[in-house]
Each structure stands twice: as C-alpha cells, then as structure tokens.
Amino acid sequence: MYELAPNIELLFTEAGDYHDRVRAAAAAGFTAVEMWGPTGVDAPSTPKDLSALKAALEETGTKLTAQLAEPRTQFMIPPWDHSEFYRKLDEGVSIAQELGCPRMVVGSGTGFGGWKRQVQLDKLVEIYQKAVAQIDGSGITLVLEPVNVRVDHPGSLLDRTAEGVYVARGVDSPFFGVLYDIYHSAVEGEDMAAELASAGSLIKYVQLADAPGRGEPGSGSLDWAERLGLLRSAGYDGPIGLEYYPTQESAASVALIRELAASA
C-alpha cells in the first residue's frame, strides 16, 4: 500500500488555512501531506503560520513528506549570483527539521540560450554538490524535479527525467535524488517504465496528477492501475504526493487513487 500525501496548497482548501487543511486531510484518513514553499515567499500566495502548522501535524500525527526550497532560483541566467539560494537553503533546512520533513524539492530554473545544454547540466551538478555539502549532517534529502515545458513550465532547463538522473549521478550523494512526477513525465511523452528502470534508486520521491489537465486521477486519460504497477515494479515504495488541481471537492477527488494505492 502506498502512502499518499495530499498537497495542502491544492487539496482540502475547503477547510481554510494550512493547519486546518492538515486536520481535514487527517480526518479523511491520510497520514501524510506535502506542501510548497514553507514561508510563502515564492510559491504559495499566503505566508504559512509555521507554529500552527507544526501543532496540527503533531496533534494529528501527520507527516510532512516534502517542501520546496526557497527561493525558486534562476541558476543559469546572468548575473549568476546564487548567494540567496544558499542562504535560504539553511533556513529551509531548519524549517524542515522543525516540521519533521525529510525532503526539500529543488529545481533547475530557466535554461540560458548562451550556453550549451550539457554545460548547464554540469553547472547544476556543481551547484547541488555545493548545496549537499553545505547541509551535510542535516538528514535532509534534496530532490531535483524535472518539469514539463510543453504546458506548465515553458523555458525550464530540466524537462527530462533522464537529465535529472544525470545530475543526480553527478552529485553522487545519498542525500540527493530525483523527484519523478508522473504528470510532468506523461506530458513530455516519456516511457514511464523505461525512465524508472534507468533511474533506479535515484528516484527519492514521486508526485502525481492526471493528464491532460493536471486534475485528480480519473479526470484525464492515464491508466492509474498501470502507472502504480509500473512504480511498484520499479521498486519504489516511498510516499506519493498528490499534487493536482481537483475538479471536485477534495475528499471526493481522492477516491480513485486511494482505492488503487491500497492494492498497488
């Protein structure tokens, strides 16, 4: 049985603030949740009350599986000043530790037309080698997310799972890996079985949404019994983040994926 983690930016918003969404998810039978940025500076539109969030997590016994690293950084775009990323990385790790969150999601930013793609991928390796060294001993794993450029993230450097795997192999740390997002991979037309086989144990976290549309499983055209079967066959047994835009009330939107995850 896979542990599902609803994203509290998108799901259970009917409950109100973030801490109340944790309680609503727990009341619906979930033991884990995920979120975007911890402070609201970048991804979420509203800053989070971290004390209230921590209290809700502890009160309900709910785990926080992942949070974004802030700020979302344009690593390849001049003037190549990454100091704020590294400064905020320490803050993010401190927050993650306080909330009991074992993973932080990182990205590639936009590609730069002035450099060859391979040069940029190798620079990402250097950037994240430095990041991993900086937070050594924290117990926090950084997971690099390739995202689709066809619909949601035009211009992003990292749009292929294989290139995320290339960077992760280059960083070469047990505390660095790849976030495999089933939705982004599907939109890019990837062969899920082949990508998972190539990545192996470098897949450290998984998220999902249906395609097309990025709604809940069942709202698009993906075969979710098949997708979860491929994930299981590949050896992944960690949590799965539900990062989708529900087309119906949150509790109803999770029905299909919960049923399938229970037997996957």
Side-chain angles (χ1 to χ4, degrees):
M1 179 175 182
Y2 277 113
E3 182 174 49
L4 303 177
N7 186 298
I8 57 173
E9 314 291 339
L10 306 176
L11 293 174
F12 296 102
T13 57
E14 302 93 341
D17 211 336
Y18 295 103
H19 47 276
D20 292 319
R21 298 176 198 181
V22 171
R23 294 186 177 92
F30 290 97
T31 57
V33 295
E34 65 169 25
M35 67 181 185
W36 289 344
T39 67
V41 170
D42 218 49
S45 59
T46 306
K48 294 177 176 67
D49 183 336
L50 295 178
S51 295
L53 184 59
K54 179 183 179 182
L57 292 168
E58 293 179 344
E59 171 194 317
T60 59
T62 303
K63 292 176 285 188
L64 182 64
T65 59
Q67 68 182 48
L68 292 182
E70 296 175 335
R72 299 296 269 183
T73 303
Q74 294 291 3
F75 295 110
M76 302 303 154
I77 306 301
W80 303 298
D81 179 6
H82 305 149
S83 58
E84 184 68 0
F85 167 75
Y86 290 115
R87 185 184 73 80
K88 293 287 286 186
L89 182 62
D90 285 332
E91 293 182 21
V93 164
S94 179
I95 292 169
Q97 290 173 325
E98 183 72 10
L99 297 178
C101 179
R103 300 172 192 83
M104 292 175 62
V105 179
V106 295
S108 66
T110 302
F112 176 51
W115 286 339
K116 290 184 177 180
R117 190 174 187 86
Q118 187 62 53
V119 170
Q120 296 180 70
L121 293 175
D122 289 339
K123 286 192 174 295
L124 271 187
V125 172
E126 295 174 7
I127 287 164
Y128 284 123
Q129 283 177 332
K130 180 178 177 181
V132 167
Q134 178 175 311
I135 65 173
D136 183 47
S138 68
I140 303 299
T141 296
L142 301 182
V143 289
L144 177 63
E145 182 178 20
V147 294
N148 82 81
V149 295
R150 298 185 182 185
V151 177
D152 299 275
H153 300 278
S156 178
L157 170 61
L158 206 63
D159 61 341
R160 310 301 296 175
T161 300
E163 292 184 337
V165 170
Y166 173 85
V167 174
R169 287 196 176 117
V171 174
D172 191 23
S173 167
F175 292 99
F176 191 89
V178 176
L179 189 171
Y180 180 75
D181 188 304
I182 295 173
Y183 165 77
H184 287 306
S185 182
V187 171
E188 285 295 324
E190 294 184 336
D191 181 324
M192 180 173 171
E195 297 299 339
L196 293 176
S198 176
S201 62
L202 289 173
I203 301 296
K204 304 286 190 183
Y205 192 56
V206 170
Q207 290 177 324
L208 63 76
D210 213 332
R214 205 172 182 178
E216 69 273 7
S219 65
S221 62
L222 299 184
D223 182 334
W224 286 99
E226 177 192 33
R227 298 276 162 163
L228 293 180
L230 290 173
L231 199 60
R232 182 64 75 189
S233 295
Y236 182 78
D237 60 1
I240 301 175
L242 306 182
E243 193 192 32
Y244 61 76
Y245 294 84
T247 65
Q248 55 187 313
E249 187 263 338
S250 294
S253 76
V254 300
L256 175 63
I257 195 62
R258 290 186 75 174
E259 176 186 350
L260 295 174
S263 58

